[in-house]
Amino acid sequence: MTIRFRFSKSDLITTAGVAMRPLEIDDRGGLFERLGQPGITERHSHEELAALLRRPDTTYIAGYFDRAAQEMRGRKPVDVINELQEVVRRLVIWRKAFCDAFLDLESLGFINRTHEGYLKGRERLAAEIQRRVGEGQASGRVVRPGGDIITRQLPGSRTGFEWLRCYERAGYSAVALIPETHRCGNRKPRWCHRAEALMNQVIEIYADTQRPSKTQAVAETLELFRQENRRRVDAGLPALVVPSRQSVGRRLALADPYYVHAKRYGTAAANARFTLYENGPDVQQPLERVEMDENRLDVISLLTLTGIWDHLPPDRQERFEAGRRWLYVAIDCATRCILSMRLAETPNSGDAVKALRDIFVDKTPIAQAAGCEGTWHQYGGIGTLVTDQGPAFVSDEFQGTVLSLGITAHLPPAGLPWLRGHIESFFRTYGHQLMPLLVGRTFFDTVERGDYPSEQLACLCDDDLIRILLTYVVDIYHNQGHGSLGGESPNQAWSRLVAEHGTPPLPDGLALRKAFGRPLERELRGDGVLFAGLTYNCRALREAFLHAPVRSVEIRADLRDIGWIAVKVGATWHPAMANQSGFDDVSYDELQEATRALRVKHRRDAELDAPTVRRAIERISETNRRAFALRELTPFHVTDLDVERNQSALHFPLRSDAERLGHARPSSDPLSDGIQIVPCKGGSSENPTDNHDQKPPARERRNRWRFDDEQ
């Protein structure tokens, strides 16, 4: 499937140490000029660009030559949010939420860039920030009595306005909000707001379920002023200036219409009255807008894999746990193509990040592993990512990954599903088309379910469930006519729009590993660093081993391709290649399976050489590879704890001496490196024993095992 990228003239691509900037982009490819060498140009096709971006020595920086990016680059310690410490990263995410909330409220007229306007909208601004970051009352978590509720103190107007100016000058980049020094603003009010507070009471008096008139609300507010002045006179304090009826009436006219209507008539009536009717965002290019959400499946399944279930005794199968899985889905709004799909035990940030990672890869091998007839080739960079206010999407892990990739994130308010209409429509579509065909469904609610025995009929395991979902998406949904596309199928819309507009460029391999890679600490060695039994090295690691006082480095690994990893030496990330060749595009699961099989076969040989492991990987059956691919989309995928546990069990790295010295270590098995001779059909080769004396069969020797055997 051909792919077409789009670049800006301010972008920078560096490959093999050569920096280039785009000049022209067309259907055939792009013309690039070398940086510092005017007139020296190179032309690359879109296929060549896709291959370059996958190389470990290629970096792509969007907007590198923008003035704001140039000014910010020399003042900030890092250029990716995920490189920061957790405390600083949380602060940067909160500062970005502050700036976005302020800009939204400013556009609506609830706050302005004056000290008085800032103080006036302070409470509304705090509530909006809590909604965006999921803290305080907007966290959605049930807090026990006496439990702590995390809230953050807003900065002073001077500090907040400085954040806004830096944020705008940097092109709305969160990197500009990384603190250079620890500052604290004036958080105390500078004058009394008693008069303002009394005048604002007119809104609360009018917004009452008894529904008083505006005249009654104004009269009661003026009575509050008179009572307060009598108290202040008795206390020897100056009286407050009593506003006129017109002033109190104008303050009432500034009240939030939705808030007033909801307080007087109820939330449901307010939602019905103030519902916005529109056609949704105008999206014309693939991956310009991607919506992502989580949904609890309307079917009760067995919480295990098929391979495990088949080996359980019948009595254990009867007692096995059953439940409902959650499903993470990402959809392209322009073509309605599904970009990723993943099962999860519960809503969590880890599975949400993995679902986001799947958007950047071709998932055709996964579709083939599920037995699909079609291809799942829809992938590319993301322009805007739209999610709801779920805990997984507002978490620091997910937001930090999104910001590290330079993706624009939108989080519409909760309770307004029509703001994410495409993903909600897909959930409704598969709920009505696919769920009725599955045994053990729950019918959406208990009333409609009736006496249907969902738990007793549960028979689908996790890999069965993900195989059914993938088949529905790849072979059915992507190929059937879509009403919102004018009868065109999502596959047809993808082919047409990609040929016309192209897709945003993919993040380079180093950026993907820094954003999605697992952060691990490794000790420096003479041959680099050790991960998953392989050693990785680069020039920066060799220099650090000789001269750096710190003897450990941070690494980021992609478990789908362990041929190279990202290592952080000092403040810079470098690609480190495996010393053992032949492991490019090899997954972590395949390496672990091959290593496990070899060490079971050769128990006495603690060290394994790389050629033997590569041959073992080649012998892994296609059935196991398909199982690995499907398991990645289920809750049984490899976790961080699994990686650390496996790493602690590897006492010896895979040797590469045979490759460097040009000879292989002799094996104890004389047939391990032999070739298989297959007799030809026909002739005397069919019965080779006809011309030889037959010997009696040798007595088979059997090992008699006892419980005290140690070997």
Side-chain angles (χ1 to χ4, degrees), residues 261-299:
H261 198 84
K263 296 284 286 185
R264 289 171 66 91
Y265 300 98
T267 305
N271 291 338
R273 178 174 179 178
F274 293 95
T275 299
L276 300 177
Y277 299 94
E278 55 186 20
N279 295 327
D282 185 13
V283 182
Q284 299 179 353
Q285 301 177 359
L287 296 169
E288 180 181 355
R289 176 186 172 97
V290 176
E291 293 180 358
M292 188 174 178
D293 201 357
E294 60 198 10
N295 181 263
R296 197 175 188 185
L297 291 176
D298 180 36
V299 63

Side-chain angles (χ1 to χ4, degrees), residues 302-321 461 636:
L302 302 174
L303 307 183
T304 184
L305 295 174
T306 301
I308 300 175
W309 174 260
D310 294 338
H311 292 83
L312 293 177
D315 57 339
R316 183 66 181 89
Q317 291 181 355
E318 294 178 359
R319 301 193 307 268
F320 203 84
E321 183 180 2
C461 298
F636 297 93

Side-chain angles (χ1 to χ4, degrees), residues 583-614:
F583 290 93
D584 294 336
D585 297 327
V586 174
S587 67
Y588 181 84
D589 284 329
E590 293 174 346
L591 177 64
Q592 291 300 312
E593 176 65 18
T595 306
R596 182 197 63 80
L598 289 175
R599 286 185 172 159
V600 169
K601 182 178 180 181
H602 308 286
R603 289 184 175 89
R604 297 182 178 180
D605 191 4
E607 298 185 6
L608 299 175
D609 59 355
T612 304
V613 176
R614 287 201 302 270

Side-chain angles (χ1 to χ4, degrees), residues 120-132:
K120 179 180 176 181
R122 188 184 182 91
E123 295 182 0
R124 189 185 300 271
L125 178 62
E128 178 67 14
I129 295 175
Q130 290 180 1
R131 182 187 69 83
R132 289 173 177 268

Side-chain angles (χ1 to χ4, degrees), residues 447-464:
V447 176
E448 186 178 356
R449 175 180 175 182
D451 297 332
Y452 183 79
S454 302
E455 292 81 0
Q456 289 78 5
L457 296 179
C459 61
L460 295 175
C461 298
D462 282 337
D463 49 357
D464 296 329

Side-chain angles (χ1 to χ4, degrees), residues 88-260:
V88 183
R89 182 179 60 187
R90 289 174 58 89
L91 177 61
V92 173
I93 294 174
W94 183 85
R95 285 187 176 186
K96 182 179 183 301
F98 169 87
C99 295
D100 292 338
F102 189 97
L103 293 174
D104 287 347
L105 294 178
E106 185 181 35
S107 64
L108 297 175
F110 295 133
I111 199 170
N112 55 50
R113 302 196 187 190
T114 64
H115 186 70
E116 293 79 5
Y118 179 81
L119 293 178
K120 179 180 176 181
R122 188 184 182 91
E123 295 182 0
R124 189 185 300 271
L125 178 62
E128 178 67 14
I129 295 175
Q130 290 180 1
R131 182 187 69 83
R132 289 173 177 268
V133 299
E135 293 181 350
Q137 299 296 333
S139 62
R141 295 187 295 270
V142 178
V143 182
R144 294 183 178 181
D148 295 333
I149 298 178
I150 300 176
T151 59
R152 294 179 183 268
Q153 184 70 21
L154 291 180
S157 60
R158 183 176 179 180
T159 303
F161 297 157
E162 180 63 26
W163 292 354
L164 286 171
R165 288 190 292 269
C166 295
Y167 188 56
E168 291 174 334
R169 285 196 301 265
Y172 304 100
S173 173
V175 179
L177 301 176
I178 298 177
E180 300 177 14
T181 57
H182 295 282
R183 301 175 181 176
C184 58
N186 183 6
R187 304 179 183 273
K188 297 181 180 180
R190 299 187 179 182
W191 59 81
C192 178
H193 293 276
R194 186 59 181 169
E196 288 287 337
L198 288 177
M199 186 178 295
N200 288 334
Q201 287 298 315
V202 65
I203 299 175
E204 298 299 328
I205 295 173
Y206 180 71
D208 189 81
T209 55
Q210 297 299 324
R211 304 174 190 173
S213 64
K214 293 184 178 181
T215 303
Q216 292 174 336
V218 171
E220 292 185 22
T221 303
L222 294 177
E223 180 62 26
L224 292 177
F225 271 92
R226 286 190 285 268
Q227 294 176 3
E228 177 65 16
N229 282 337
R230 286 196 294 268
R231 186 190 65 80
R232 295 174 68 89
V233 169
D234 295 340
L237 298 175
L240 299 176
V241 177
V242 179
S244 63
R245 291 181 177 270
Q246 292 78 7
S247 299
V248 179
R250 286 192 295 269
R251 179 58 57 87
L252 179 58
L254 298 177
D256 185 346
Y258 178 85
Y259 173 79
V260 172

